Structure formats: structure tokens, C-alpha cells
Amino acid sequence: EIVLTQSPATLSLSPGERATLSCRASQSVSSYLAWYQQKPGQAPRLLIFDASNRATGIPARFSGSGSGTDFTLTISSLESEDFAVYYCQQRSNWPITFGQGTRLEIK
Amino acid sequence: EVQLVESGGGLVQPGGSLRLSCAASGFAFNTYNMNWVRQAPGKGLECISYIDSSSFIIYYADSVKGRFTISRDNAKNSLYLQMNSLRAEDTAVYYCATHQWDPWGQGTMVTVSS
């Protein structure tokens, strides 16, 4: 099973700041890495697929990069609605696995 | 518009059974592979089962293998999860998602408790 480790566990920032979230895989997942945003009481929402492709309707301030084992989600300038939990997911091998999440909170 | 609606959750005693359904609309269901994902209260996400469009390829997470069965009815645009021998640790919100993972259903809550 591929283990995804996200860092940091919690990130405290202010609106307008840049957020950088990391996801490291225990073995290569090529570019089969996705990022999700989840708010309380809601289902996860796909932000990025195949490491760097924005999903439909996702604002340009969200970007993804990386390949192999190291990946980054960047939010260029935080809006109030961006404060949530973010998960990475690998689709390279079964079982499909998720990271433990990064909580992005308002400073 | 792609829409997934889960149903069938509820309160069940340990050792009991439940059958979850996922009704799909707005896309060609019979060409999409499907997944079940669960999230225990306050915890992260776990992908527990996968079925391809023709039901030829099926996978389960070790945590549910031998107890849960995924199936689909393409004529009814529906996905199912038969859950037997339920345990307290199966308590979670259960989501269905296509192989495109966008969007997910709203989820259905399963609580296993005496």
C-alpha cells in the first residue's frame, strides 16, 4: 500500500497570504496524484488531478506541481472560503489511498 | 449535470447488515468505473471498494474484504454496497464517486452501535 504523508498537519495563515501544502508518497505514483478540499459537513471537492491539472470550475489561484514522490498544492492568495481541510490522493495503485490531511486555518 | 445520491444508511447493531445505494444521473453511468469511499467521524478518507463499468474488475480494501460486496445495475444507473458483519469501526459517512472523482455524492451515514 502506498502511504501518503501530508505536511504540515495544520497551517495557520491570513487571507491574502500564499499557502504551500506538501504531500509525499512512500513510492512513486508518477503523476497520478489529486488534491481535494473538504469543508465541515460537505463531501470532498476535487481541486487538482494528475498532479497539476485544475478541475472544472476551480479558481486559478489553486495550482499543483510535482511528480514521482513529492507533490505541492499552492494557493497563491488565500480567500476566506479557502480555509478548510485538504487531502492528497494517489490513483497509481490499488488500494487508492489518501493522505491524512492538512488543516488550513485562519491566523 | 453529474449527480450522485447515496441512500440506505442508518443505525445498525454490531454483526448486522445494511445495503447502500448510489443513484447516478447526468452522465453515461454504464461507461464509468465507480468507487465507494468512507470517512469515520473526525477522521480521514478511506477508499474501500472499486468496480469497473462492466463489473469485471472489483477491488476491496483489506478492512472490508470478505464482509462487503460492491455491485452495480447499469440498467438502473445504480451502484450498491452490501455490508455484512458490521463492526463499530465501520461507523462512517459513505460516499460514492466516479472514476473521475468529480463530483462526489453527499454521503450517507452508517452508525454501528448496540
Side-chain angles (χ1 to χ4, degrees):
Chain A
E1 174 175 317
I2 296 175
V3 177
L4 299 179
T5 302
Q6 292 187 240
S7 61
T10 304
L11 186 57
S12 300
L13 293 170
S14 300
E17 290 192 294
R18 182 184 187 92
T20 302
L21 287 68
S22 295
C23 177
R24 175 164 290 179
S26 59
Q27 64 189 76
S28 177
V29 299
S30 185
S31 293
Y32 299 114
L33 195 286
W35 290 94
Y36 296 84
Q37 177 192 70
Q38 188 178 34
K39 297 180 179 179
Q42 296 184 15
R45 179 174 72 144
L46 179 67
L47 300 175
I48 302 289
F49 65 94
D50 293 346
S52 61
N53 297 285
R54 271 190 305 276
T56 303
I58 301 303
R61 65 181 181 272
F62 291 90
S63 63
S65 63
S67 66
T69 60
D70 290 292
F71 300 87
T72 301
L73 174 70
T74 301
I75 310 172
S76 60
S77 179
L78 285 166
E79 304 273 349
S80 58
E81 63 264 29
D82 298 336
F83 293 93
V85 178
Y86 292 82
Y87 294 97
C88 58
Q89 176 207 41
Q90 68 80 21
R91 310 174 193 176
S92 174
N93 291 335
W94 182 263
I96 292 169
T97 52
F98 293 85
Q100 83 282 9
T102 289
R103 180 177 304 277
L104 179 54
E105 63 177 29
I106 300 177
K107 187 173 182 179
Chain B
E1 178 192 4
V2 173
Q3 191 169 15
L4 299 168
V5 179
E6 301 92 339
S7 61
L11 174 64
V12 61
Q13 293 189 338
S17 299
L18 275 179
R19 188 195 196 205
L20 305 185
S21 299
C22 170
S25 60
F27 64 101
F29 179 75
N30 62 349
T31 67
Y32 278 62
N33 307 328
M34 298 295 296
N35 302 275
W36 284 102
V37 179
R38 68 182 180 183
Q39 185 171 36
K43 302 298 184 182
L45 300 161
E46 180 186 11
C47 189
I48 58 171
S49 193
Y50 163 94
I51 186 168
D52 79 344
S53 60
S54 301
S55 304
F56 290 152
I57 299 174
I58 289 175
Y59 296 130
Y60 298 101
D62 287 345
S63 57
V64 306
K65 198 175 294 181
R67 300 186 300 122
F68 291 10
T69 302
I70 191 171
S71 62
R72 63 190 296 160
D73 186 335
N74 286 342
K76 294 183 177 180
N77 288 343
S78 292
L79 175 73
Y80 305 102
L81 186 69
Q82 177 67 43
M83 304 188 297
N84 298 331
S85 303
L86 283 161
R87 306 167 180 166
E89 54 265 35
D90 296 318
T91 294
V93 175
Y94 286 73
Y95 298 100
C96 60
T98 72
H99 68 264
Q100 293 185 340
W101 298 91
D102 185 23
W104 295 33
Q106 86 290 347
T108 188
M109 182 71 204
V110 172
T111 302
V112 184
S113 175
S114 55

